[in-house]
PDB file of all heavy atoms in Angstrom:
ATOM      1  N   TRP E  32      11.932  -7.906  14.682  1.00 92.00           N
ATOM      2  CA  TRP E  32      10.791  -7.216  15.278  1.00 92.00           C
ATOM      3  C   TRP E  32      11.258  -6.081  16.166  1.00 92.00           C
ATOM      4  O   TRP E  32      12.296  -6.180  16.823  1.00 92.00           O
ATOM      5  CB  TRP E  32       9.962  -8.190  16.128  1.00 92.00           C
ATOM      6  CG  TRP E  32       9.421  -9.345  15.368  1.00 92.00           C
ATOM      7  CD1 TRP E  32      10.001 -10.573  15.211  1.00 92.00           C
ATOM      8  CD2 TRP E  32       8.195  -9.395  14.646  1.00 92.00           C
ATOM      9  NE1 TRP E  32       9.218 -11.385  14.430  1.00 92.00           N
ATOM     10  CE2 TRP E  32       8.103 -10.691  14.069  1.00 92.00           C
ATOM     11  CE3 TRP E  32       7.173  -8.476  14.417  1.00 92.00           C
ATOM     12  CZ2 TRP E  32       7.026 -11.079  13.293  1.00 92.00           C
ATOM     13  CZ3 TRP E  32       6.101  -8.865  13.645  1.00 92.00           C
ATOM     14  CH2 TRP E  32       6.027 -10.147  13.095  1.00 92.00           C
ATOM     15  N   VAL E  33      10.486  -4.994  16.204  1.00 91.00           N
ATOM     16  CA  VAL E  33      10.762  -3.891  17.126  1.00 91.00           C
ATOM     17  C   VAL E  33       9.438  -3.429  17.721  1.00 91.00           C
ATOM     18  O   VAL E  33       8.372  -3.671  17.151  1.00 91.00           O
ATOM     19  CB  VAL E  33      11.456  -2.694  16.422  1.00 91.00           C
ATOM     20  CG1 VAL E  33      12.802  -3.099  15.869  1.00 91.00           C
ATOM     21  CG2 VAL E  33      10.566  -2.105  15.336  1.00 91.00           C
ATOM     22  N   GLU E  34       9.528  -2.779  18.868  1.00 89.00           N
ATOM     23  CA  GLU E  34       8.356  -2.181  19.501  1.00 89.00           C
ATOM     24  C   GLU E  34       8.400  -0.678  19.272  1.00 89.00           C
ATOM     25  O   GLU E  34       9.436  -0.039  19.454  1.00 89.00           O
ATOM     26  CB  GLU E  34       8.343  -2.477  20.999  1.00 89.00           C
ATOM     27  CG  GLU E  34       8.142  -3.941  21.343  1.00 89.00           C
ATOM     28  CD  GLU E  34       6.737  -4.440  21.024  1.00 89.00           C
ATOM     29  OE1 GLU E  34       5.792  -3.626  21.140  1.00 89.00           O
ATOM     30  OE2 GLU E  34       6.605  -5.624  20.656  1.00 89.00           O
ATOM     31  N   ARG E  35       7.266  -0.100  18.865  1.00 81.00           N
ATOM     32  CA  ARG E  35       7.195   1.336  18.638  1.00 81.00           C
ATOM     33  C   ARG E  35       5.848   1.853  19.138  1.00 81.00           C
ATOM     34  O   ARG E  35       4.803   1.420  18.675  1.00 81.00           O
ATOM     35  CB  ARG E  35       7.341   1.647  17.143  1.00 81.00           C
ATOM     36  CG  ARG E  35       7.191   3.124  16.807  1.00 81.00           C
ATOM     37  CD  ARG E  35       7.001   3.338  15.321  1.00 81.00           C
ATOM     38  NE  ARG E  35       6.842   4.739  14.996  1.00 81.00           N
ATOM     39  CZ  ARG E  35       6.396   5.190  13.826  1.00 81.00           C
ATOM     40  NH1 ARG E  35       6.071   4.344  12.868  1.00 81.00           N
ATOM     41  NH2 ARG E  35       6.274   6.475  13.613  1.00 81.00           N
ATOM     42  N   ASP E  36       5.889   2.746  20.106  1.00 76.00           N
ATOM     43  CA  ASP E  36       4.668   3.334  20.667  1.00 76.00           C
ATOM     44  C   ASP E  36       3.671   2.266  21.098  1.00 76.00           C
ATOM     45  O   ASP E  36       2.467   2.391  20.879  1.00 76.00           O
ATOM     46  CB  ASP E  36       4.015   4.272  19.648  1.00 76.00           C
ATOM     47  CG  ASP E  36       4.898   5.447  19.274  1.00 76.00           C
ATOM     48  OD1 ASP E  36       5.704   5.873  20.126  1.00 76.00           O
ATOM     49  OD2 ASP E  36       4.787   5.949  18.134  1.00 76.00           O
ATOM     50  N   GLY E  37       4.193   1.207  21.694  1.00 81.00           N
ATOM     51  CA  GLY E  37       3.324   0.151  22.194  1.00 81.00           C
ATOM     52  C   GLY E  37       2.829  -0.797  21.123  1.00 81.00           C
ATOM     53  O   GLY E  37       2.023  -1.685  21.408  1.00 81.00           O
ATOM     54  N   GLU E  38       3.314  -0.652  19.895  1.00 83.00           N
ATOM     55  CA  GLU E  38       2.901  -1.519  18.802  1.00 83.00           C
ATOM     56  C   GLU E  38       4.076  -2.370  18.338  1.00 83.00           C
ATOM     57  O   GLU E  38       5.240  -1.999  18.508  1.00 83.00           O
ATOM     58  CB  GLU E  38       2.383  -0.710  17.616  1.00 83.00           C
ATOM     59  CG  GLU E  38       1.107   0.057  17.903  1.00 83.00           C
ATOM     60  CD  GLU E  38       0.617   0.791  16.657  1.00 83.00           C
ATOM     61  OE1 GLU E  38       1.432   1.436  15.983  1.00 83.00           O
ATOM     62  OE2 GLU E  38      -0.591   0.716  16.373  1.00 83.00           O
ATOM     63  N   ARG E  39       3.743  -3.507  17.722  1.00 89.00           N
ATOM     64  CA  ARG E  39       4.777  -4.393  17.202  1.00 89.00           C
ATOM     65  C   ARG E  39       4.975  -4.112  15.713  1.00 89.00           C
ATOM     66  O   ARG E  39       4.006  -4.101  14.954  1.00 89.00           O
ATOM     67  CB  ARG E  39       4.357  -5.853  17.401  1.00 89.00           C
ATOM     68  CG  ARG E  39       5.505  -6.843  17.295  1.00 89.00           C
ATOM     69  CD  ARG E  39       5.006  -8.258  17.492  1.00 89.00           C
ATOM     70  NE  ARG E  39       6.093  -9.196  17.684  1.00 89.00           N
ATOM     71  CZ  ARG E  39       5.990 -10.497  17.504  1.00 89.00           C
ATOM     72  NH1 ARG E  39       4.835 -11.020  17.134  1.00 89.00           N
ATOM     73  NH2 ARG E  39       7.022 -11.285  17.697  1.00 89.00           N
ATOM     74  N   TRP E  40       6.213  -3.889  15.310  1.00 91.00           N
ATOM     75  CA  TRP E  40       6.534  -3.600  13.910  1.00 91.00           C
ATOM     76  C   TRP E  40       7.509  -4.643  13.375  1.00 91.00           C
ATOM     77  O   TRP E  40       8.446  -5.056  14.073  1.00 91.00           O
ATOM     78  CB  TRP E  40       7.154  -2.214  13.771  1.00 91.00           C
ATOM     79  CG  TRP E  40       6.159  -1.096  13.927  1.00 91.00           C
ATOM     80  CD1 TRP E  40       5.458  -0.773  15.050  1.00 91.00           C
ATOM     81  CD2 TRP E  40       5.766  -0.164  12.918  1.00 91.00           C
ATOM     82  NE1 TRP E  40       4.646   0.310  14.812  1.00 91.00           N
ATOM     83  CE2 TRP E  40       4.816   0.715  13.519  1.00 91.00           C
ATOM     84  CE3 TRP E  40       6.124   0.044  11.593  1.00 91.00           C
ATOM     85  CZ2 TRP E  40       4.213   1.763  12.826  1.00 91.00           C
ATOM     86  CZ3 TRP E  40       5.540   1.097  10.888  1.00 91.00           C
ATOM     87  CH2 TRP E  40       4.588   1.939  11.496  1.00 91.00           C
ATOM     88  N   LEU E  41       7.287  -5.045  12.152  1.00 91.00           N
ATOM     89  CA  LEU E  41       8.158  -5.974  11.451  1.00 91.00           C
ATOM     90  C   LEU E  41       9.173  -5.165  10.641  1.00 91.00           C
ATOM     91  O   LEU E  41       8.791  -4.289   9.867  1.00 91.00           O
ATOM     92  CB  LEU E  41       7.336  -6.851  10.509  1.00 91.00           C
ATOM     93  CG  LEU E  41       8.083  -7.843   9.639  1.00 91.00           C
ATOM     94  CD1 LEU E  41       8.579  -9.008  10.499  1.00 91.00           C
ATOM     95  CD2 LEU E  41       7.154  -8.386   8.548  1.00 91.00           C
ATOM     96  N   VAL E  42      10.448  -5.408  10.844  1.00 93.00           N
ATOM     97  CA  VAL E  42      11.504  -4.695  10.131  1.00 93.00           C
ATOM     98  C   VAL E  42      12.189  -5.645   9.155  1.00 93.00           C
ATOM     99  O   VAL E  42      12.639  -6.722   9.546  1.00 93.00           O
ATOM    100  CB  VAL E  42      12.559  -4.126  11.105  1.00 93.00           C
ATOM    101  CG1 VAL E  42      13.644  -3.382  10.335  1.00 93.00           C
ATOM    102  CG2 VAL E  42      11.900  -3.206  12.117  1.00 93.00           C
ATOM    103  N   VAL E  43      12.237  -5.252   7.902  1.00 93.00           N
ATOM    104  CA  VAL E  43      12.844  -6.092   6.864  1.00 93.00           C
ATOM    105  C   VAL E  43      14.084  -5.401   6.315  1.00 93.00           C
ATOM    106  O   VAL E  43      14.057  -4.202   6.012  1.00 93.00           O
ATOM    107  CB  VAL E  43      11.860  -6.348   5.696  1.00 93.00           C
ATOM    108  CG1 VAL E  43      12.503  -7.269   4.662  1.00 93.00           C
ATOM    109  CG2 VAL E  43      10.563  -6.964   6.217  1.00 93.00           C
ATOM    110  N   LYS E  44      15.171  -6.151   6.197  1.00 96.00           N
ATOM    111  CA  LYS E  44      16.404  -5.650   5.598  1.00 96.00           C
ATOM    112  C   LYS E  44      16.672  -6.473   4.344  1.00 96.00           C
ATOM    113  O   LYS E  44      16.704  -7.703   4.400  1.00 96.00           O
ATOM    114  CB  LYS E  44      17.573  -5.789   6.572  1.00 96.00           C
ATOM    115  CG  LYS E  44      18.889  -5.201   6.040  1.00 96.00           C
ATOM    116  CD  LYS E  44      19.988  -5.286   7.098  1.00 96.00           C
ATOM    117  CE  LYS E  44      21.289  -4.649   6.620  1.00 96.00           C
ATOM    118  NZ  LYS E  44      22.355  -4.727   7.662  1.00 96.00           N
ATOM    119  N   ALA E  45      16.811  -5.808   3.211  1.00 94.00           N
ATOM    120  CA  ALA E  45      16.983  -6.498   1.931  1.00 94.00           C
ATOM    121  C   ALA E  45      18.359  -6.208   1.335  1.00 94.00           C
ATOM    122  O   ALA E  45      18.946  -5.140   1.574  1.00 94.00           O
ATOM    123  CB  ALA E  45      15.897  -6.071   0.949  1.00 94.00           C
ATOM    124  N   TYR E  46      18.850  -7.173   0.561  1.00 96.00           N
ATOM    125  CA  TYR E  46      20.143  -7.050  -0.100  1.00 96.00           C
ATOM    126  C   TYR E  46      19.979  -7.332  -1.591  1.00 96.00           C
ATOM    127  O   TYR E  46      19.324  -8.307  -1.972  1.00 96.00           O
ATOM    128  CB  TYR E  46      21.142  -8.053   0.475  1.00 96.00           C
ATOM    129  CG  TYR E  46      21.299  -7.988   1.977  1.00 96.00           C
ATOM    130  CD1 TYR E  46      20.435  -8.695   2.822  1.00 96.00           C
ATOM    131  CD2 TYR E  46      22.317  -7.239   2.561  1.00 96.00           C
ATOM    132  CE1 TYR E  46      20.584  -8.648   4.203  1.00 96.00           C
ATOM    133  CE2 TYR E  46      22.472  -7.182   3.941  1.00 96.00           C
ATOM    134  CZ  TYR E  46      21.600  -7.887   4.754  1.00 96.00           C
ATOM    135  OH  TYR E  46      21.745  -7.846   6.123  1.00 96.00           O
ATOM    136  N   ALA E  47      20.583  -6.506  -2.430  1.00 94.00           N
ATOM    137  CA  ALA E  47      20.568  -6.711  -3.875  1.00 94.00           C
ATOM    138  C   ALA E  47      21.998  -7.029  -4.307  1.00 94.00           C
ATOM    139  O   ALA E  47      22.850  -6.132  -4.401  1.00 94.00           O
ATOM    140  CB  ALA E  47      20.045  -5.470  -4.596  1.00 94.00           C
ATOM    141  N   TYR E  48      22.273  -8.324  -4.538  1.00 96.00           N
ATOM    142  CA  TYR E  48      23.603  -8.768  -4.956  1.00 96.00           C
ATOM    143  C   TYR E  48      23.697  -8.757  -6.480  1.00 96.00           C
ATOM    144  O   TYR E  48      22.887  -9.389  -7.156  1.00 96.00           O
ATOM    145  CB  TYR E  48      23.879 -10.177  -4.434  1.00 96.00           C
ATOM    146  CG  TYR E  48      24.034 -10.263  -2.936  1.00 96.00           C
ATOM    147  CD1 TYR E  48      22.942 -10.525  -2.116  1.00 96.00           C
ATOM    148  CD2 TYR E  48      25.275 -10.083  -2.335  1.00 96.00           C
ATOM    149  CE1 TYR E  48      23.075 -10.597  -0.737  1.00 96.00           C
ATOM    150  CE2 TYR E  48      25.427 -10.164  -0.951  1.00 96.00           C
ATOM    151  CZ  TYR E  48      24.320 -10.420  -0.165  1.00 96.00           C
ATOM    152  OH  TYR E  48      24.458 -10.502   1.206  1.00 96.00           O
ATOM    153  N   ARG E  49      24.699  -8.074  -7.011  1.00 95.00           N
ATOM    154  CA  ARG E  49      24.863  -8.002  -8.455  1.00 95.00           C
ATOM    155  C   ARG E  49      25.399  -9.299  -9.052  1.00 95.00           C
ATOM    156  O   ARG E  49      25.161  -9.611 -10.221  1.00 95.00           O
ATOM    157  CB  ARG E  49      25.786  -6.826  -8.809  1.00 95.00           C
ATOM    158  CG  ARG E  49      25.108  -5.478  -8.647  1.00 95.00           C
ATOM    159  CD  ARG E  49      26.092  -4.350  -8.483  1.00 95.00           C
ATOM    160  NE  ARG E  49      26.643  -4.337  -7.116  1.00 95.00           N
ATOM    161  CZ  ARG E  49      27.181  -3.281  -6.524  1.00 95.00           C
ATOM    162  NH1 ARG E  49      27.241  -2.132  -7.189  1.00 95.00           N
ATOM    163  NH2 ARG E  49      27.657  -3.339  -5.302  1.00 95.00           N
ATOM    164  N   ASP E  50      26.115 -10.076  -8.241  1.00 95.00           N
ATOM    165  CA  ASP E  50      26.625 -11.391  -8.658  1.00 95.00           C
ATOM    166  C   ASP E  50      26.957 -12.163  -7.389  1.00 95.00           C
ATOM    167  O   ASP E  50      26.968 -11.596  -6.284  1.00 95.00           O
ATOM    168  CB  ASP E  50      27.859 -11.241  -9.568  1.00 95.00           C
ATOM    169  CG  ASP E  50      29.001 -10.474  -8.904  1.00 95.00           C
ATOM    170  OD1 ASP E  50      29.543 -10.962  -7.885  1.00 95.00           O
ATOM    171  OD2 ASP E  50      29.337  -9.389  -9.397  1.00 95.00           O
ATOM    172  N   PRO E  51      27.226 -13.464  -7.487  1.00 94.00           N
ATOM    173  CA  PRO E  51      27.480 -14.271  -6.292  1.00 94.00           C
ATOM    174  C   PRO E  51      28.675 -13.795  -5.469  1.00 94.00           C
ATOM    175  O   PRO E  51      28.774 -14.124  -4.281  1.00 94.00           O
ATOM    176  CB  PRO E  51      27.723 -15.672  -6.872  1.00 94.00           C
ATOM    177  CG  PRO E  51      26.958 -15.682  -8.155  1.00 94.00           C
ATOM    178  CD  PRO E  51      27.124 -14.300  -8.697  1.00 94.00           C
ATOM    179  N   GLU E  52      29.601 -13.052  -6.068  1.00 94.00           N
ATOM    180  CA  GLU E  52      30.790 -12.589  -5.360  1.00 94.00           C
ATOM    181  C   GLU E  52      30.668 -11.144  -4.869  1.00 94.00           C
ATOM    182  O   GLU E  52      31.640 -10.573  -4.375  1.00 94.00           O
ATOM    183  CB  GLU E  52      32.016 -12.709  -6.286  1.00 94.00           C
ATOM    184  CG  GLU E  52      32.219 -14.082  -6.903  1.00 94.00           C
ATOM    185  CD  GLU E  52      32.371 -15.160  -5.847  1.00 94.00           C
ATOM    186  OE1 GLU E  52      33.014 -14.884  -4.806  1.00 94.00           O
ATOM    187  OE2 GLU E  52      31.845 -16.267  -6.044  1.00 94.00           O
ATOM    188  N   ASP E  53      29.506 -10.557  -5.010  1.00 94.00           N
ATOM    189  CA  ASP E  53      29.300  -9.150  -4.645  1.00 94.00           C
ATOM    190  C   ASP E  53      29.509  -8.954  -3.140  1.00 94.00           C
ATOM    191  O   ASP E  53      28.801  -9.538  -2.320  1.00 94.00           O
ATOM    192  CB  ASP E  53      27.881  -8.722  -5.034  1.00 94.00           C
ATOM    193  CG  ASP E  53      27.691  -7.211  -4.989  1.00 94.00           C
ATOM    194  OD1 ASP E  53      28.593  -6.513  -4.502  1.00 94.00           O
ATOM    195  OD2 ASP E  53      26.645  -6.742  -5.463  1.00 94.00           O
ATOM    196  N   THR E  54      30.491  -8.149  -2.788  1.00 94.00           N
ATOM    197  CA  THR E  54      30.780  -7.909  -1.369  1.00 94.00           C
ATOM    198  C   THR E  54      30.138  -6.627  -0.841  1.00 94.00           C
ATOM    199  O   THR E  54      30.147  -6.375   0.366  1.00 94.00           O
ATOM    200  CB  THR E  54      32.301  -7.826  -1.138  1.00 94.00           C
ATOM    201  OG1 THR E  54      32.841  -6.769  -1.941  1.00 94.00           O
ATOM    202  CG2 THR E  54      32.978  -9.146  -1.512  1.00 94.00           C
ATOM    203  N   ARG E  55      29.596  -5.812  -1.736  1.00 95.00           N
ATOM    204  CA  ARG E  55      28.940  -4.570  -1.309  1.00 95.00           C
ATOM    205  C   ARG E  55      27.593  -4.439  -2.013  1.00 95.00           C
ATOM    206  O   ARG E  55      27.411  -3.585  -2.899  1.00 95.00           O
ATOM    207  CB  ARG E  55      29.832  -3.358  -1.599  1.00 95.00           C
ATOM    208  CG  ARG E  55      31.194  -3.426  -0.921  1.00 95.00           C
ATOM    209  CD  ARG E  55      31.912  -2.102  -0.981  1.00 95.00           C
ATOM    210  NE  ARG E  55      31.235  -1.088  -0.189  1.00 95.00           N
ATOM    211  CZ  ARG E  55      31.674   0.167  -0.055  1.00 95.00           C
ATOM    212  NH1 ARG E  55      32.789   0.544  -0.674  1.00 95.00           N
ATOM    213  NH2 ARG E  55      31.014   1.037   0.663  1.00 95.00           N
ATOM    214  N   PRO E  56      26.635  -5.283  -1.637  1.00 95.00           N
ATOM    215  CA  PRO E  56      25.318  -5.246  -2.291  1.00 95.00           C
ATOM    216  C   PRO E  56      24.549  -3.989  -1.923  1.00 95.00           C
ATOM    217  O   PRO E  56      24.862  -3.310  -0.937  1.00 95.00           O
ATOM    218  CB  PRO E  56      24.626  -6.489  -1.726  1.00 95.00           C
ATOM    219  CG  PRO E  56      25.225  -6.632  -0.350  1.00 95.00           C
ATOM    220  CD  PRO E  56      26.679  -6.260  -0.540  1.00 95.00           C
ATOM    221  N   GLY E  57      23.534  -3.677  -2.717  1.00 94.00           N
ATOM    222  CA  GLY E  57      22.628  -2.604  -2.350  1.00 94.00           C
ATOM    223  C   GLY E  57      21.823  -3.046  -1.140  1.00 94.00           C
ATOM    224  O   GLY E  57      21.405  -4.205  -1.064  1.00 94.00           O
ATOM    225  N   VAL E  58      21.609  -2.156  -0.182  1.00 95.00           N
ATOM    226  CA  VAL E  58      20.895  -2.496   1.051  1.00 95.00           C
ATOM    227  C   VAL E  58      19.698  -1.571   1.213  1.00 95.00           C
ATOM    228  O   VAL E  58      19.796  -0.358   0.967  1.00 95.00           O
ATOM    229  CB  VAL E  58      21.818  -2.381   2.282  1.00 95.00           C
ATOM    230  CG1 VAL E  58      21.040  -2.691   3.566  1.00 95.00           C
ATOM    231  CG2 VAL E  58      23.015  -3.305   2.141  1.00 95.00           C
ATOM    232  N   GLY E  59      18.566  -2.140   1.608  1.00 92.00           N
ATOM    233  CA  GLY E  59      17.368  -1.342   1.828  1.00 92.00           C
ATOM    234  C   GLY E  59      16.590  -1.835   3.032  1.00 92.00           C
ATOM    235  O   GLY E  59      16.638  -3.025   3.353  1.00 92.00           O
ATOM    236  N   HIS E  60      15.887  -0.936   3.700  1.00 93.00           N
ATOM    237  CA  HIS E  60      15.089  -1.289   4.877  1.00 93.00           C
ATOM    238  C   HIS E  60      13.630  -0.855   4.688  1.00 93.00           C
ATOM    239  O   HIS E  60      13.346   0.109   3.973  1.00 93.00           O
ATOM    240  CB  HIS E  60      15.622  -0.620   6.135  1.00 93.00           C
ATOM    241  CG  HIS E  60      16.998  -1.061   6.547  1.00 93.00           C
ATOM    242  ND1 HIS E  60      18.138  -0.563   5.946  1.00 93.00           N
ATOM    243  CD2 HIS E  60      17.400  -1.952   7.483  1.00 93.00           C
ATOM    244  CE1 HIS E  60      19.198  -1.131   6.519  1.00 93.00           C
ATOM    245  NE2 HIS E  60      18.789  -1.969   7.443  1.00 93.00           N
ATOM    246  N   ALA E  61      12.744  -1.567   5.350  1.00 89.00           N
ATOM    247  CA  ALA E  61      11.324  -1.189   5.375  1.00 89.00           C
ATOM    248  C   ALA E  61      10.718  -1.785   6.635  1.00 89.00           C
ATOM    249  O   ALA E  61      11.226  -2.765   7.174  1.00 89.00           O
ATOM    250  CB  ALA E  61      10.605  -1.700   4.133  1.00 89.00           C
ATOM    251  N   TRP E  62       9.630  -1.190   7.089  1.00 86.00           N
ATOM    252  CA  TRP E  62       8.939  -1.789   8.232  1.00 86.00           C
ATOM    253  C   TRP E  62       7.442  -1.642   8.078  1.00 86.00           C
ATOM    254  O   TRP E  62       6.949  -0.768   7.368  1.00 86.00           O
ATOM    255  CB  TRP E  62       9.439  -1.219   9.551  1.00 86.00           C
ATOM    256  CG  TRP E  62       9.210   0.240   9.818  1.00 86.00           C
ATOM    257  CD1 TRP E  62       8.728   1.206   8.970  1.00 86.00           C
ATOM    258  CD2 TRP E  62       9.478   0.903  11.056  1.00 86.00           C
ATOM    259  NE1 TRP E  62       8.681   2.420   9.593  1.00 86.00           N
ATOM    260  CE2 TRP E  62       9.133   2.276  10.873  1.00 86.00           C
ATOM    261  CE3 TRP E  62       9.957   0.494  12.285  1.00 86.00           C
ATOM    262  CZ2 TRP E  62       9.260   3.217  11.889  1.00 86.00           C
ATOM    263  CZ3 TRP E  62      10.084   1.434  13.295  1.00 86.00           C
ATOM    264  CH2 TRP E  62       9.743   2.770  13.094  1.00 86.00           C
TER     265      TRP E  62
END
Side-chain angles (χ1 to χ4, degrees):
W32 300 92
V33 298
E34 293 290 327
R35 176 194 179 194
D36 298 330
E38 295 182 314
R39 198 180 192 200
W40 286 65
L41 177 73
V42 180
V43 182
K44 184 176 183 180
Y46 306 86
Y48 292 92
R49 286 159 283 202
D50 58 64
E52 307 302 322
D53 193 351
T54 59
R55 302 192 67 179
V58 178
H60 295 80
W62 64 352

